[in-house]
Amino acid sequence: MRITQTLCAGLLALALAGCNAAPQATAEHVLTYASPYPPTHPFGLADQEWMKWVQANSNGRIAFRPYWSGALLSADMSMEEIRHGVADIGLITPIYAKGGAHLLRGQSGFYGGVRTIPDQVAVYDCLAAQFPQFAKETHGLHVLAVQGGNFPGVLTRDRPIRSLADFKGLRLRSQSDAVDILKQLGADPVNMPMGEVYSALAKGVIDGVVAPADTIRSLHFAEVGKHFTTIRFSRGAYPARAMSDKAWNRLPPDLQQLLAEGRKQWEAALNRQLLKAEQAGIDYGKAEGITFNAIPAQEQRRFDTLYNQDALGQAQRLGSLDIDAVPVLREAQRLIASGNIKCDREPES
């Protein structure tokens, strides 16, 4: 009886989590969508743009039942959860995956020198088309959107960073591709889901976070940080929205084609919302008294050198997992240096 009551309570909670967006009664296909972010986050706003586009362009044949704020998906197991049908479609985070996405996580650090979000996505598409390991790590998933991102700086609680020497002794939340660089600078980097960072900053568990300026507002970091340093961390793209193959195969070919065409719509919405959020974060941070600091150009060049050296080391270490990542790094750097990112064939999804 107790187990039954617990299960019923869990199902009721899930139903309530999704009831804020009742699907159209006439829809032929009602697809569940899950995200660890709230609908007001830039990711959530872009997701809703895409949903409206799909509903309109399917003439109401597809509708969505969204579950926001982590009601269904976790950050580190999202790929497995979508594969196994926890939701039909969801926001996936291979950069936090505990296993099975080693190249997807590592290659995000191979984009040194990239300058725009569309270029991040274009480089990813070329790499995914050329190297079969990408498709192997997304097995069981149909990728619906690839996500780039605003370039991170560093938000700190109390100590401003004005030179590379100022990193020494700071405990910073960082994405995995920057961990070794920060260690070389004397920092103590940790990798945790972004949803846990606010609490960790507020409690003093960490001294700061490597994150783009949009988080100052969207994740309320202005409440727990005083300084933002605009050092440029290069970053790459990764598959960020996916549908389980089982759910994909339930759709007729014309609706599959519609979702394939919707990828560019989703990626454009993400780009637009991210850039808008970045400027809003900067404006909000200034209004809230956050100081913005830039490191000298010579320090940025030294940092860029460390970044590229570390990318090679990361690529070489993936060899211990039988992943030949050095050619992936070289191709990413060739594409970025070319200034005209084009590939011969479309990426596999």
Side-chain angles (χ1 to χ4, degrees), residues 40-167:
T40 53
H41 187 276
F43 293 166
L45 295 174
D47 296 345
Q48 291 170 85
E49 281 192 46
W50 174 80
M51 289 180 204
K52 290 177 182 177
W53 184 91
V54 171
Q55 290 178 179
N57 285 273
S58 70
N59 295 316
R61 293 171 63 197
I62 293 179
F64 297 94
R65 181 178 290 116
Y67 295 85
W68 304 104
S69 303
L72 288 183
L73 288 190
S74 60
D76 56 354
M77 293 295 292
S78 55
M79 295 177 72
E80 283 300 304
E81 288 163 348
I82 294 298
R83 282 189 181 104
H84 292 288
V86 172
D88 296 319
I89 302 172
L91 186 152
I92 60 171
T93 48
I95 56 175
Y96 298 135
K98 292 182 177 179
H102 302 290
L103 182 59
L104 292 176
R105 181 171 61 249
Q107 63 85 39
S108 66
F110 296 173
Y111 293 59
V114 74
R115 289 290 179 252
T116 69
I117 294 173
D119 280 355
Q120 292 167 347
V121 174
V123 170
Y124 177 89
D125 283 346
C126 293
L127 298 177
Q130 184 172 343
F131 297 99
Q133 182 69 22
F134 283 73
K136 182 178 179 181
E137 294 188 356
T138 55
H139 176 72
L141 299 172
H142 195 92
V143 176
L144 296 180
V146 172
Q147 180 176 300
N150 293 324
F151 296 96
V154 185
L155 178 93
T156 50
R157 277 168 47 94
D158 302 309
R159 288 172 49 188
I161 296 174
R162 297 190 176 94
S163 71
L164 296 186
D166 292 332
F167 278 93

Side-chain angles (χ1 to χ4, degrees), residues 78 96 99 114 116 128 156 195 197 233 249 262 292 298 313 322 328:
S78 55
Y96 298 135
V114 74
T116 69
T156 50
V197 171
F233 283 77
N249 291 331
F292 285 78
Q298 63 200 40
D322 294 324
V328 181

